[in-house]
Amino acid sequence: MGRKNNTHVPDFILMGLTDSEEIQLVLFMLFLLIYLVTVLGNAGMILIIRLDLQLHTPMYFFLGHLSFLDLSYSTVITPKTLQNLLTSTKYISYTSCFTQMSFFVFLGATECFLLSSMAYDRYVAICNPLHYPVVMSARFCSHLIFGSYVIGFVDSFVNGLCMSRLHFCDSNVIRHFFCDTTPVLALSCTDTHDVEIMIFIVAGSTLMVSLITISVSYVSILSTILKITSTSGKKKAFSTCAAHLLGVAIFYGTMIFTYLKPSKSYSLGKDQVASVFYTIVIPMLNPLIYSLRNREVKNALLRVMRKGEGSGQLK
């Protein structure tokens, strides 16, 4: 694949977000801070879930994988973006560009179906609480996770297969800060119509199937909550879903805005802002959303810290 398309364009140039050196420095400091918070937040979430036995439940099993995906998602994009903000040469090799794109699609598609699995978990917990331990067994949860990763891999494989059919002649300037599908498609000197249709169908199907699953789950949840007579019961049910709904709304809102439209309508300014949001900001927000609004995670953190202090005193 590399040799076929690499004949005339051995490297790409990432235009980045701005030409101003002052703004680049500000963005570097901001993105570096966000990335550090992302790494600490998501790695911390994974660690707390693994160390605290009370969090060994289906909901936190999925949340641990969400933190892993967000950490990976951010690491695929942010380090190269930080490097380019500090250097005048913003080259990325053909192989590195398509590797970054493949991982980006894989992680994004996987997260879509992981969020669907999390919505189904909440549906069973609220609508069928008596059957919850049986339905959401460890084996079934593992199958949902495995299925999410498989779908992500298939989406990434199809995307890579479609992109491998393209030829890049002279233009090698990607008008973006990372190798995303739409701006790379714009560089092709061959007709991209069939490729665009195929990618649109695959990406659209991934987004819509997962979004429909989430929507159906939450319509059923809402219907069940409205039937609860006690105010405290309603409040508790809403609180268990609020963090997930907020995360879903932010993630799908930016993804749909960016991808479910023709590539010709790509806007350098608006789409870059949306891309910054879902590639750099959202991976930082998810652990904050799920921990700050979650008493169980806060209590688990305190238990882990006390356990660590106790172990230190015994030594």
Side-chain angles (χ1 to χ4, degrees):
M1 185 180 85
R3 249 178 266 165
K4 180 181 177 182
N5 297 342
N6 221 6
T7 308
H8 301 293
V9 183
D11 298 296
F12 291 111
I13 300 172
L14 293 166
M15 282 284 287
L17 295 163
T18 178
D19 294 327
S20 170
E21 291 185 4
E22 292 79 8
I23 297 176
Q24 284 181 3
L25 185 60
V26 172
L27 289 176
F28 173 82
M29 297 300 293
L30 178 62
F31 289 171
L32 178 61
L33 178 62
I34 290 173
Y35 184 60
L36 290 175
V37 173
T38 300
V39 172
L40 289 172
N42 286 292
M45 184 70 79
I46 294 169
L47 197 61
I48 290 168
I49 291 169
R50 285 191 64 86
L51 292 176
D52 192 84
L53 293 176
Q54 291 187 33
L55 297 186
H56 289 187
T57 63
M59 184 174 80
Y60 292 103
F61 175 68
F62 292 130
L63 192 53
H65 279 275
L66 180 64
S67 291
F68 169 73
L69 287 175
D70 282 337
L71 184 58
S72 304
Y73 203 69
S74 183
T75 302
V76 166
I77 305 296
T78 310
K80 183 61 180 177
T81 303
L82 291 172
Q83 179 190 339
N84 287 344
L85 286 170
L86 288 182
T87 58
S88 55
T89 55
K90 306 182 191 305
Y91 287 99
I92 183 170
S93 69
Y94 178 92
T95 304
S96 297
C97 183
F98 276 78
T99 300
Q100 185 185 60
M101 188 191 302
S102 295
F103 273 104
F104 172 72
V105 174
F106 166 66
L107 294 166
T110 302
E111 185 159 335
C112 284
F113 283 92
L114 177 61
L115 290 171
S116 299
S117 300
M118 292 173 73
Y120 181 73
D121 171 69
R122 292 298 83 207
Y123 159 74
V124 178
I126 292 172
C127 299
N128 297 291
L130 297 177
H131 297 99
Y132 184 75
V134 177
V135 175
M136 300 305 295
S137 63
R139 186 177 181 180
F140 182 63
C141 290
S142 297
H143 286 166
L144 288 176
I145 290 292
F146 180 73
S148 298
Y149 282 102
V150 168
I151 292 169
F153 174 78
V154 170
D155 276 15
S156 179
F157 180 78
V158 171
N159 187 83
L161 200 63
C162 290
M163 297 298 286
S164 69
R165 297 171 58 191
L166 302 178
H167 296 272
F168 303 95
C169 304
D170 300 317
S171 179
N172 67 336
V173 179
I174 299 174
R175 298 184 176 277
H176 211 6
F177 64 93
F178 73 99
C179 290
D180 200 0
T181 304
T182 304
V184 172
L185 273 172
L187 297 183
S188 176
C189 55
T190 52
D191 182 29
T192 62
H193 180 263
D194 292 342
V195 172
E196 284 183 46
I197 293 296
M198 188 63 187
I199 291 175
F200 181 84
I201 290 171
V202 173
S205 299
T206 299
L207 281 171
M208 296 314 297
V209 169
S210 57
L211 192 56
I212 288 169
T213 304
I214 292 169
S215 300
V216 170
S217 297
Y218 273 101
V219 166
S220 300
I221 288 170
L222 182 61
S223 176
T224 302
I225 290 174
L226 292 175
K227 293 175 185 176
I228 298 174
T229 53
S230 66
T231 306
S232 60
K234 286 182 179 180
K235 187 177 179 181
K236 184 179 179 181
F238 271 121
S239 66
T240 60
C241 303
H244 184 247
L245 268 176
L246 181 60
V248 165
I250 295 171
F251 180 78
Y252 278 91
T254 51
M255 291 286 273
I256 289 171
F257 172 81
T258 307
Y259 293 109
L260 289 192
K261 61 182 181 181
S263 64
K264 300 299 181 184
S265 63
Y266 175 79
S267 168
L268 186 61
K270 291 179 181 178
D271 286 290
Q272 280 192 333
V273 170
S275 297
V276 166
F277 206 74
Y278 68 76
T279 57
I280 297 176
V281 178
I282 288 179
M284 175 194 70
L285 289 180
N286 276 340
L288 297 177
I289 290 170
Y290 286 101
S291 61
L292 292 178
R293 295 181 57 88
N294 194 318
R295 189 177 296 175
E296 287 181 344
V297 174
K298 293 177 185 177
N299 292 339
L301 177 59
L302 291 173
R303 285 193 295 270
V304 170
M305 290 173 67
R306 285 171 190 157
K307 189 177 179 181
E309 288 174 2
S311 300
Q313 289 174 359
L314 287 173
K315 291 179 182 178

